[in-house]
Amino acid sequence: MADEVLFERRGAGLWATLNRPDALNAISPGVIAGLDRALDAAERDPEVRAVVITGTGRAFCAGADLKYLRSSTDADATGIGGFIDDFLALLNRIEGFRRPVIAAVNGLALAGGLEIVLTCDLVVAAASAKFGDAHANFGLLPGGGGSVRLPRKIGPTRAKQMLYTAEFLPAATLAQWGLVNEVAPDGGLAAAADALVAKMADKSPLVLARMKALVDDGLEQPRDVALRNEAAMIALHAHSHDMREGLAAFEAKRKPVFTGR
């Protein structure tokens, strides 16, 4: 059986490609395990500055594999619980990953596929890509944080529209709503994602990780608490090699060499 997730280094990015095109890259235990392995590979490689998640064929990811869920539920009433627990653990790992994670949405991003997108830091989408929360079509509830992360990304009113209607919306609409950073021409998605990774390639990985933590943590905190945490992070960061290197490079008018320490 072919690997359900393929991954490779491209420049400073590690690309993880969902590889179940005949099933619209539906989420299976193999997909969850494969994305975990891709993240493991990124963690081991100090040259990786960002992870890019994309799909093969005409879908980014159409959500959970409903055939698998049906068979698991029929065989064992608790079977679906373990699957959801594993999926949630993966989503939390993506959201908290110390390198930036980019969703390169090549086609349909539905239900659980949309929930993967919601955990990524940046989203680049092909012009023909469509986004939707399809759970209501099948009598299901979001099981990967869609009801929590979606309103935080696009606001509660628009999130309710997507959740209640299960309609598929074009990438241009989600760009207007603030979920998609860039809409790329069809055929130009990979180049657009590569260009975004290239802009991060010479940045300090320590700075990127700490910026991500400050932004994400700050969203869940009162303003004054978030500002105090930023000040505390600056005090900690002042002892880092990368800050000293950046300032020394500026003074010497040379390009800094960051190590992530």
Side-chain angles (χ1 to χ4, degrees):
M1 185 174 66
D3 290 340
E4 295 188 6
V5 176
L6 307 174
F7 54 92
E8 63 174 343
R9 270 284 302 278
R10 288 176 52 166
L14 186 139
W15 281 68
T17 303
L18 278 61
N19 187 41
R20 302 185 70 210
D22 293 342
L24 300 181
N25 299 320
I27 301 158
S28 65
V31 166
I32 294 172
L35 284 173
D36 263 326
R37 286 193 296 271
L39 295 175
D40 289 342
E43 284 182 334
R44 292 193 299 266
D45 190 339
E47 300 302 316
V48 169
R49 290 293 184 268
V51 173
V52 181
I53 301 176
T54 193
T56 53
R58 64 188 185 92
F60 172 80
C61 174
D65 187 331
L66 298 185
K67 291 181 179 179
Y68 170 79
L69 291 184
R70 176 67 184 272
S71 64
S72 297
T73 304
D74 287 348
D76 180 357
T78 64
I80 191 171
F83 175 82
I84 291 175
D85 287 346
D86 290 344
F87 185 46
L88 284 172
L90 172 67
L91 293 175
N92 290 335
R93 186 180 183 191
I94 294 171
E95 190 171 47
F97 201 66
R98 284 179 57 82
R99 321 284 173 87
V101 182
I102 301 168
V105 182
N106 55 297
L108 296 171
L110 309 176
L114 176 63
E115 289 171 328
I116 293 175
V117 171
L118 292 172
T119 65
C120 295
D121 299 289
L122 302 171
V123 181
V124 182
S128 62
K130 292 186 181 297
F131 298 76
D133 185 278
H135 288 100
N137 287 335
F138 304 101
L140 301 172
L141 290 172
S147 66
V148 177
R149 293 186 176 101
L150 187 60
R152 282 169 165 77
K153 293 278 189 175
I154 65 173
T157 303
R158 286 168 170 165
K160 287 176 180 177
Q161 177 183 336
M162 291 187 71
L163 291 166
Y164 296 172
T165 67
E167 62 185 329
F168 299 175
L169 299 175
T173 298
L174 272 299
Q176 293 174 356
W177 289 2
L179 177 62
V180 173
N181 296 87
E182 179 181 352
V183 179
D186 289 339
L189 178 64
D194 281 336
L196 194 54
V197 172
K199 292 176 182 178
M200 305 177 196
D202 61 351
K203 306 301 187 292
S204 160
L206 180 64
V207 164
L208 295 180
R210 286 177 169 172
M211 282 180 171
K212 176 172 179 171
L214 285 171
V215 171
D216 290 349
D217 292 347
L219 289 171
E220 304 298 326
Q221 297 165 342
R223 176 180 177 274
D224 290 345
V225 173
L227 289 171
R228 286 197 297 271
N229 287 343
E230 183 185 72
M233 185 71 83
I234 291 171
L236 174 65
H237 193 67
H239 299 285
S240 69
H241 165 274
D242 281 3
M243 180 171 171
R244 293 193 299 271
E245 168 62 12
L247 294 175
F250 173 79
E251 184 175 0
K253 296 182 172 58
R254 61 172 174 81
K255 187 175 180 178
V257 180
F258 296 121
T259 64
R261 296 183 290 108

